[in-house]
Amino acid sequence: IWWAKNPLATVWVGQGKVPFSRQEYTSSGKQQFVDRWIGNALYAPGRDQGIRLEGMNQSKTFEYAIGAYNGIARNININDNDEYLYSGRVAWMPFGEYKFEESSLDRPDGPRLALGLAGLTNTVGLGASAIDVERLGYEVAFKWGGFNAQGEFFDENAENQSNVTSDNQGYYIQAGYLFPGNKFEIAGRWESIERKIRAHPFARDVKAKPRILTITQSTYDGVLYNVETIKDLLGTKIDTLHFDEA
């Protein structure tokens, strides 16, 4: 449900994307690559049920969005605890509106720039297993003519009920050039979530060879398919393969 009487203060209620990550907020049909960056599911909350207030000024150089959500997942209309996910994002666009789209299909004659800051807080789980999460996101996007580039950096602090904390960071940077005619483009992306892996107590040495991998196949007929193929692909990289039928 939208209540859009004032472009500076539009009210939205329902299920939709939580305002946090620029790339998550960008529709899949307007992505530069087939997939979003590797850490998207770790840092971007995705879709949830809640209420949001958003707006943009008349010159389209500033936009914001704040909201409160269940904080559990899409398509679940009840909350699993007494806490809510609170999220907000602001962006400054000094040269005019910078829409949520990657690549540079519009080939602007002048520069386009977006600088954004986002934050969220949420409690995941119940009782003694609950984890309090605080997350910040920083974004920059730029394009001019056929060139475009964007990147995001995420900083997360998680704390369990025993006051054990974990600081996790991740980022991606991508850039590309769309040749005249808009039929050919060259683009690349660099991304990293190594610190998040390194911070986990079970993976102190991220360069070490994994000792065991559990593969779950949800076929529901009790048959494990393509076992020999999987062994050929992974057998030299992992000491032990454990197959599990869910």
Side-chain angles (χ1 to χ4, degrees):
I1 299 174
W2 291 88
W3 189 80
K5 296 294 184 179
N6 187 336
L8 275 174
T10 297
V11 178
W12 171 95
V13 179
Q15 177 171 273
K17 293 183 178 181
V18 176
F20 184 69
S21 164
R22 180 177 189 87
Q23 190 162 84
E24 172 63 24
Y25 227 53
T26 302
S27 171
S28 59
K30 296 185 177 181
Q31 298 282 325
Q32 191 164 34
F33 296 91
V34 175
D35 297 312
R36 293 179 172 90
W37 79 290
I38 193 172
N40 185 75
L42 298 174
Y43 295 102
R47 299 180 189 272
D48 206 339
Q49 297 182 5
I51 182 170
R52 182 174 73 239
L53 176 68
E54 62 184 33
M56 179 183 290
N57 64 354
Q58 188 174 6
S59 60
K60 297 185 178 181
T61 57
F62 173 80
E63 64 183 5
Y64 76 94
I66 56 174
Y69 298 82
N70 273 342
I72 178 169
R74 68 171 72 188
N75 300 329
I76 300 178
N77 56 13
I78 59 173
N79 200 343
D80 64 340
N81 54 37
D82 295 329
E83 305 294 334
Y84 293 93
L85 184 156
Y86 299 99
S87 177
R89 173 185 173 274
V90 295
W92 177 52
M93 302 164 287
F95 305 115
E97 183 180 12
Y98 200 123
K99 295 182 179 180
F100 288 101
E101 56 187 20
E102 298 178 3
S103 191
S104 191
L105 292 171
D106 56 344
R107 306 184 69 87
D109 295 332
R112 293 288 185 272
L113 175 68
L115 301 172
L117 173 66
L120 70 79
T121 179
N122 189 24
T123 298
V124 181
L126 292 167
S129 63
I131 298 175
D132 297 321
V133 177
E134 295 180 348
R135 193 175 299 154
L136 290 174
Y138 308 87
E139 69 179 67
V140 58
F142 176 83
K143 61 181 175 179
W144 192 348
F147 175 78
N148 75 95
Q150 77 173 50
E152 294 185 84
F153 177 85
F154 301 94
D155 189 4
E156 177 186 89
N157 177 268
E159 181 176 354
N160 64 18
Q161 300 307 299
S162 299
N163 298 320
V164 177
T165 63
S166 175
D167 293 318
N168 306 306
Q169 298 176 341
Y171 68 88
Y172 75 90
I173 302 171
Q174 65 185 55
Y177 180 77
L178 182 66
F179 292 94
N182 290 9
K183 292 185 177 181
F184 299 98
E185 181 181 40
I186 182 171
R189 176 192 289 159
W190 177 268
E191 52 195 15
S192 173
I193 56 170
E194 187 170 285
R195 176 163 181 167
K196 183 174 180 67
I197 298 172
R198 186 170 61 246
H200 196 282
F202 295 153
R204 294 300 185 189
D205 184 0
V206 296
K207 303 298 184 183
K209 180 181 179 181
R211 290 181 295 175
I212 185 170
L213 173 66
T214 299
I215 301 175
T216 300
Q217 299 189 89
S218 302
T219 59
Y220 297 101
D221 59 5
V223 178
L224 292 169
Y225 295 94
N226 303 318
V227 171
E228 292 300 326
T229 300
I230 295 172
K231 287 173 60 179
D232 291 341
L233 290 172
L234 301 176
T236 60
K237 300 179 180 178
I238 298 172
D239 290 338
T240 304
L241 291 174
H242 174 79
F243 293 90
D244 174 60
E245 170 58 42

